[in-house]
């Protein structure tokens, strides 16, 4: 009776895996086809500096888009698509470059996550620390912070090169390279891996929530005070007057909260699965993580690589205008060419 129940359970798991594999065979190529041009367009539009954003903010948003583009290439196109099309890509297992790929991928992941943190901190300083804002919220400081984060991310992830093997597994695991059995079950490996997930994205989750909480509290308090000083926002005839400062604050906080919330939401399932999987591997506690959590976690994490463009389009009027101009330009060029 017990063996029958176990067999039924594993058959159900296999059916779920087949369903998700079928979905992913369409989802991942489609996501790649959208993410690459979308991130390239975002980088090009923001770099022109015509979206009404400060040069400091533009630096952070361009860096985030560039990191997302690297993740699309290293994670989605060179990792997950070969996994779901493993029969067609089985030849990659003969290439001993997986540990180099892993080190670059995890470095790009750290950059993507920590660029979001630095952007959140920059907005926190801009909103809550007016005296420090003049010195910190500059294009030069933004460039220095971003290059420092990128350098530290590369240094931090060098250890993957020495802990992994060069052989691809082509299986959906938090890591995707071969690992010696003695290494996988060692406490050193566990400590390194837990540290990796604590630093990315554990601590960033906490920092983003704290910075956003302080920023929102400050904006709400300042808005109430400004509202009272303006006579509850009404003119001499009782008409509501337009307050550009309040509108700018509202747009800034909407952009900040949506980007941060999107990041936390789309990364949560992946980090839950990765930590639970590691605990089970060590045999410390038996944690049964549903296959849905694993597969949806990977899919949502990769989706986060192309959602920021949609966020900009929804929250930034000038960005939408630049997107329309970028889309219309080749069409107008074709029309002019045909009409000659």
């Amino acid at each position: 009776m017990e063996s029958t129940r176990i067999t039924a359970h594993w058959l159900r798991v296999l059916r779920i895996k087949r369903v998700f594999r079928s979905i992913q065979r369409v989802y991942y190529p489609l996501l790649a086809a959208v993410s690459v041009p979308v991130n390239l367009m975002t980088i090009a539009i923001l770099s022109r500096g015509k979206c009404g954003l400060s040069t400091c903010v533009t630096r952070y948003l361009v860096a985030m888009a560039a990191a997302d583009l690297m993740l699309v290439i290293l994670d989605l196109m060179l990792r997950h698509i070969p996994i779901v099309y493993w029969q067609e890509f089985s030849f990659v297992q003969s290439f001993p470059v997986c540990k180099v790929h892993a080190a670059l991928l995890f470095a790009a992941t750290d950059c993507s996550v920590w660029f979001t943190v630095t952007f959140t901190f920059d907005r926190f300083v801009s909103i809550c620390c007016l005296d420090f804002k003049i010195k910190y919220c500059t294009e030069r400081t933004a460039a220095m912070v971003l290059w420092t984060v990128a350098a530290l991310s590369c240094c931090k992830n060098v250890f993957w090169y020495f802990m992994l093997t060069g052989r691809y597994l082509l299986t959906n695991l938090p890591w995707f390279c071969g690992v010696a059995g003695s290494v996988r079950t060692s406490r050193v490996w566990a400590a390194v891996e837990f540290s990796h997930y604590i630093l990315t994205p554990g601590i960033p989750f906490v920092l983003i929530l704290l910075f956003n909480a302080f920023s929102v509290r400050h904006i709400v308090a300042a808005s109430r005070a400004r509202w009272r000083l303006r006579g509850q926002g009404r003119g001499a005839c009782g008409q509501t007057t337009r307050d550009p400062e309040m509108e700018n604050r509202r747009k800034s906080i909407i952009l900040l909260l949506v980007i941060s919330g999107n990041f936390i939401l789309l990364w949560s399932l992946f980090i839950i699965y990765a930590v639970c999987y590691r605990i089970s591997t060590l045999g410390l506690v038996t944690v049964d993580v549903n296959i849905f959590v694993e597969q949806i976690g990977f899919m949502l994490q990769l989706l986060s690589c192309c959602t920021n463009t949609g966020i900009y389009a929804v929250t930034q009027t000038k960005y939408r205008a630049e997107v329309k101009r970028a889309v219309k330009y080749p069409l107008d060029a074709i029309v002019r060419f045909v009409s000659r």
Side-chain angles (χ1 to χ4, degrees):
M1 184 69 177
E2 182 68 22
S3 61
T4 303
R5 187 160 54 249
I6 293 174
T7 302
H9 168 74
W10 283 111
L11 288 174
R12 186 163 57 251
V13 169
L14 289 175
R15 283 197 296 269
I16 293 173
K17 282 186 175 181
R18 281 197 294 268
V19 169
F20 271 102
R21 185 60 59 91
S22 300
I23 294 172
Q24 289 167 343
R25 287 175 71 90
V26 177
Y27 174 78
Y28 286 149
L30 181 62
L31 186 60
V34 172
S35 298
V36 172
V38 157
N39 281 296
L40 287 173
M41 180 182 66
T42 299
I43 293 171
I45 290 176
L46 291 175
S47 297
R48 296 182 64 193
K50 296 184 178 181
C51 295
L53 301 170
S54 68
T55 55
C56 177
V57 171
T58 299
R59 281 269 188 175
Y60 285 110
L61 297 184
V62 169
M64 290 162 62
D68 287 343
L69 179 60
M70 291 300 297
L71 274 180
V72 170
I73 295 171
L74 293 170
D75 199 2
L76 178 56
M77 299 174 66
L78 298 181
R79 175 189 176 187
H80 283 279
I81 289 180
I83 286 174
V84 297
Y85 286 93
W86 65 271
Q87 291 178 325
E88 294 84 347
F89 285 89
S90 59
F91 64 90
V92 304
Q93 291 181 309
S94 61
F95 297 150
V97 295
C98 189
K99 56 185 180 180
V100 177
H101 182 187
L104 292 174
L105 168 56
F106 292 132
T109 303
D110 282 3
C111 286
S112 178
V113 172
W114 282 97
F115 285 171
T116 305
V117 176
T118 56
F119 170 67
T120 307
F121 180 72
D122 178 86
R123 294 299 84 201
F124 162 75
V125 171
S126 176
I127 292 168
C128 302
C129 310
L130 299 182
D131 294 335
F132 187 46
K133 171 184 176 180
I134 299 174
K135 296 181 179 179
Y136 184 83
C137 297
T138 64
E139 185 178 7
R140 181 179 179 181
T141 301
M144 183 180 66
V145 168
L146 291 169
W147 280 112
T148 301
V149 169
L152 291 176
S153 297
C154 292
C155 294
K156 167 186 171 290
N157 289 285
V158 169
F159 69 84
W160 290 108
Y161 181 87
F162 300 99
M163 297 190 69
L164 300 172
T165 68
R167 183 173 61 85
Y168 285 95
L169 292 177
L170 291 184
T171 54
N172 244 351
L173 296 171
W175 60 89
F176 53 99
C177 304
V179 184
S182 58
V183 173
R184 185 181 302 179
T185 57
S186 70
R187 302 290 176 174
V188 175
W189 168 274
V192 169
E193 193 173 358
F194 272 125
S195 299
H196 172 71
Y197 291 125
I198 289 172
L199 290 173
T200 307
I203 292 176
F205 276 15
V206 177
L207 292 177
I208 287 172
L209 289 172
L210 284 176
F211 292 146
N212 282 341
F214 290 139
S215 299
V216 170
R217 187 181 67 175
H218 182 88
I219 285 180
V220 170
S223 298
R224 287 175 178 172
R226 190 176 181 86
W227 185 264
R228 287 194 296 269
L229 289 174
R230 290 176 59 85
Q232 295 184 347
R234 298 188 177 277
C237 298
Q239 298 296 322
T240 301
T241 58
R242 185 172 176 269
D243 188 348
E245 178 65 23
M246 291 298 297
E247 291 181 5
N248 289 336
R249 289 182 182 179
R250 181 177 62 82
K251 289 180 180 179
S252 296
I253 199 63
I254 288 175
L255 177 63
L256 175 64
L257 291 179
V258 173
I259 289 177
S260 303
N262 171 74
F263 164 72
I264 291 176
L265 176 65
L266 296 181
W267 273 78
S268 295
L269 278 180
F270 169 75
I271 193 63
I272 290 172
Y273 166 74
V275 171
C276 291
Y277 180 86
R278 163 47 58 187
I279 292 174
S280 298
T281 302
L282 285 175
L284 300 176
V285 180
T286 301
V287 182
D288 185 15
V289 182
N290 196 292
I291 194 68
F292 286 105
V293 176
E294 172 195 5
Q295 299 300 322
I296 296 176
F298 283 120
M299 294 167 72
L300 290 179
Q301 183 210 2
L302 292 168
L303 179 63
S304 68
C305 295
C306 69
T307 51
N308 282 349
T309 299
I311 292 171
Y312 306 150
V314 171
T315 60
Q316 303 295 311
T317 304
K318 291 184 178 181
Y319 180 85
R320 289 198 298 272
E322 289 295 313
V323 171
K324 291 177 182 178
R325 188 176 292 110
V327 172
K328 287 176 63 178
Y329 180 79
L331 297 178
D332 292 340
I334 293 172
V335 170
R336 287 195 300 268
F337 178 79
V338 172
S339 61
R340 286 181 180 179

